[in-house]
Structure formats: C-alpha cells, structure tokens
Amino acid sequence: MTTRERLSGMLKTARPHLFRMVCCLFIFSFLLPYVDVLGCSSKKIETVHGYQLIKGGAAAFYLLALAMVVLMLALSFYRREITRSLKAFGAGWRAIAAAVAGFIIWLIPGVQFLFDNVYMLIGQLLGLVSVFLLFIDAIAISITDYSLLRKEAVSADGAGALPLALAKIHAAIVIISLALVPLYAFSLRDENILAVMYFFLLSLPFALSQAIVIQAIRREERWTLWWTPAAVVLLVGVMVIIILSFF
C-alpha cells in the first residue's frame, strides 16, 4: 500500500468523526458571545450570546438552522447502504442546508438589531466557519459522486423502467431554477455580493441535485417518484418568493 493510499484510508476513516465534530461546534457556538451591539441612541455596547438571540419571531430562523445541523449530525450515524445517486443527492441537500444555516446566522442578527450597529464575535465566527466546512464537505461529495454516475453505464434492464417524462420534468426544473437567477439578481441589485452568494451556494447546488435525480431516474430508483412533486412545489414556492420581492 502506497503512502497516498494510506492517507486516503485515514481520511476516509476520520471524515465522519470530523464531520460530527464540526456539527457539534456549530451547536456549541450558540453558547458563546455571538455579537456586540452598539446602540445608535445609547452608544452603549451590549454583548449578546447566541442563545440570547433565540427569541421573538427570529427564534424560528435560529431553531431552523440548529435543527438542520442536528439532523445532519443524526443522519451521520445512519449505517444502511444506499445507492450512489441517493448519497450524492443527500450530500447536495446537506450543502444547501449548510448554506441556509450560514445565511441565517450571518444576516438575522443584523435584522434583529436593525437600527443598531452589530459586530461579529467568536460565536458567530465559529458558526460561520462550521457551516462553511459542512458546505465544502457536502458539495465535494456530491460533485464527485455525480461525476462517477455520469461515467457509469446504465443497465439495459433498468433503462426506461420509469416514465421518460420524469427526467424531462427535472431537466425543466434545472432550466427554470437557473432562469430565475437574473430575477433575484435584479431584486438584490443593491446587494450584489449577496446575489452572487445565493447563486453559488443555493442555485448551483439545487441544479446539481436535480441533475443527480435525472441520473437516478435512468437507474430506475423509485425514490425519485416521491421527490418529483416535492421539487415542483419547492420551485413554485421559490418563484412566489422572488415575485413578491418585487413588491
């Protein structure tokens, strides 16, 4: 066994443990000082811990971020063998969930203290670093497995077992989701950096996940039948949100 193979084996063994450690760091970050808030009128600085932000209407967003990371942590202990396409699809959605959690902990504190100045502290920084690592890990797995799926031959027995229209629906979802990019870019024309981040961290991973579904349909994987209506509903919901953002 070469040194490269030994290192690859060690990394493969350590990856689940490192992944769980990063999930725990994200959860732990809410116990730390999260932001400093400088009151515009009082001119006094207040240090706010992460758990203190979980109140009022904003609590739902923080709880959603925590729930997604806790779910990732729980699923990391799932030992049952799954297909390569389902693994790639799940990794793609882990990347999306990590990105959503990152946007929440980055943007919501500023919204909570809209008329004050908010400064990042160790808790928020640790949370952002954690979700960034989770995103990189997930998107790397998704891209790698999708590349392998593209290279794999599909058996003649499996080809055509599911309706051809199913793959066309997901191809249309990919096209429509990317066609929405100019619309939300225009609605965020005063926040160009945010629009670019949405594109790379949300739109592209979503399009990748649908491309993976098309590969799964070619392999007659039945879970795609359940995902198709969910994907359509999700896309319609995003379209509604983008349209409402213009008003």
Side-chain angles (χ1 to χ4, degrees):
M1 183 180 291
T2 65
T3 303
R4 183 177 179 180
E5 289 174 335
R6 284 198 297 270
L7 287 174
S8 178
M10 290 172 61
L11 287 173
K12 186 176 181 180
T13 302
R15 197 203 69 81
H17 303 292
L18 293 173
F19 176 85
R20 292 163 192 156
M21 183 183 72
V22 173
C23 289
C24 291
L25 286 175
F26 177 83
I27 298 167
F28 174 71
S29 69
F30 280 84
L31 299 177
L32 300 174
Y34 220 74
V35 291
D36 268 345
V37 180
L38 175 61
C40 285
S41 57
S42 65
K43 301 300 180 183
K44 293 182 179 179
I45 294 180
E46 177 188 2
T47 298
V48 182
H49 286 67
Y51 61 86
Q52 293 175 306
L53 294 170
I54 307 176
K55 61 182 179 181
F61 292 98
Y62 294 114
L63 291 175
L64 174 62
L66 284 166
M68 288 189 294
V69 175
V70 169
L71 181 60
M72 289 186 214
L73 179 60
L75 290 176
S76 71
F77 293 96
Y78 187 72
R79 297 293 187 182
R80 185 177 175 181
E81 287 293 325
I82 59 175
T83 62
R84 187 189 301 277
S85 54
L86 186 55
K87 176 188 172 187
F89 176 79
W93 275 94
R94 281 205 313 274
I96 293 172
V100 170
F103 281 121
I104 287 173
I105 65 172
W106 176 41
L107 298 174
I108 298 300
V111 175
Q112 283 180 281
F113 302 98
L114 191 59
F115 300 105
D116 300 319
N117 294 317
V118 179
Y119 302 98
M120 181 184 299
L121 292 180
I122 184 62
Q124 190 181 33
L125 177 61
L126 180 60
L128 288 172
V129 170
S130 298
V131 292
F132 175 76
L133 293 175
L134 292 175
F135 178 87
I136 293 298
D137 174 73
I139 204 68
I141 292 172
S142 189
I143 291 173
T144 300
D145 283 342
Y146 175 65
S147 177
L148 292 173
L149 286 169
R150 290 288 302 269
K151 295 175 183 177
E152 285 180 358
V154 180
S155 67
D157 294 335
L162 292 178
L164 183 61
L166 209 60
K168 291 182 178 180
I169 290 172
H170 287 281
I173 289 174
V174 172
I175 294 171
I176 294 171
S177 66
L178 293 178
L180 292 174
V181 173
L183 293 178
Y184 72 66
F186 179 78
S187 68
L188 294 169
R189 56 190 177 279
D190 296 327
E191 299 287 348
N192 293 329
I193 294 177
L194 194 58
V196 171
M197 292 179 70
Y198 280 175
F199 175 69
F200 283 105
L201 302 181
L202 295 176
S203 294
L204 286 184
F206 178 76
L208 174 62
S209 73
Q210 299 315 295
I212 292 166
V213 172
I214 293 172
Q215 293 297 321
I217 292 170
R218 294 177 61 202
R219 290 160 175 77
E220 64 167 337
E221 296 186 21
R222 310 299 294 182
W223 63 268
T224 57
L225 293 171
W226 294 93
W227 170 247
T228 300
V232 172
V233 171
L234 182 62
L235 182 62
V236 171
V238 171
M239 292 172 65
V240 170
I241 292 171
I242 292 174
I243 291 171
L244 291 176
S245 69
F246 286 94
F247 298 97

